[in-house]
Amino acid sequence: MSLLDKLTKDMVAAMKAKDKETLSTVRMLKASVQNEKIKLGHELSEEEENSLLAREYKQRKEALEEFVAAKRQDLIDKTKAEMSVVEKYMPKQLSDDEIKQIVDEAVQATGADSMKDFGKVMKSVMPKVKGKADGKVVNQTVKDALQK
């Protein structure tokens, strides 16, 4: 079942349950998927769907940080609710240990031994973790691995 099919099914369920918060978030996600589909001109692959979900989640996470700084509790609550809905559709996120293992394997595979090789390692790691890990966490893990 494609992401678009899941979103449509969940949108109907949210309408029946009169769950306005979930409904609005699912509608937003569905619109994003349809816009991406039109932009690319083909059905989205699983990787493209995961990338889209990661982007949507990241946008909400960044907005949440701004709302916390502005002490806007109403927007904080709304954004957290949206994030939890988006999380339902995302693939299982990698743990810090799993990220570290992937980074360590990439460091060995590329023969990296200093920060000069940062780009090579990131180029090797990102396709493996795309949509499954936050880029900032991966970035920091690679820096830590290369500074040893």
Side-chain angles (χ1 to χ4, degrees), residues 42-128:
H42 60 79
E43 293 293 324
L44 300 182
S45 68
E46 188 174 337
E47 185 178 308
E48 290 167 334
E49 289 175 349
N50 291 340
S51 179
L52 175 103
L53 289 169
R55 186 171 60 236
E56 290 290 328
Y57 187 80
K58 183 179 178 186
Q59 287 173 352
R60 284 162 179 79
K61 189 174 182 181
E62 289 170 353
L64 181 64
E65 291 169 5
E66 292 176 20
F67 297 149
V68 167
K71 296 182 174 79
R72 291 288 311 268
Q73 193 59 44
D74 56 331
L75 296 174
I76 291 170
D77 295 339
K78 182 178 185 292
T79 305
K80 283 184 178 177
E82 287 180 2
M83 288 171 69
S84 69
V85 172
V86 174
E87 280 177 343
K88 285 192 245 177
Y89 301 101
M90 293 177 70
K92 181 183 166 287
Q93 297 296 291
L94 296 171
S95 70
D96 290 343
D97 291 338
E98 291 170 320
I99 295 170
K100 186 171 178 1
Q101 182 181 355
I102 291 170
V103 168
D104 288 344
E105 289 170 4
V107 167
Q108 288 180 348
T110 59
D113 58 357
S114 71
M115 285 301 289
K116 290 182 201 173
D117 301 318
F118 179 81
K120 278 197 276 187
V121 176
M122 286 297 286
K123 189 175 181 180
S124 172
V125 170
M126 287 311 288
K128 297 175 186 171

Side-chain angles (χ1 to χ4, degrees), residues 2 10 16 27 29 44 58 105 107 109 111 121 123 129 146:
S2 75
D10 291 349
K16 287 180 181 176
R27 278 185 173 149
L29 286 173
L44 300 182
K58 183 179 178 186
E105 289 170 4
V107 167
V121 176
K123 189 175 181 180
V129 300
L146 292 176

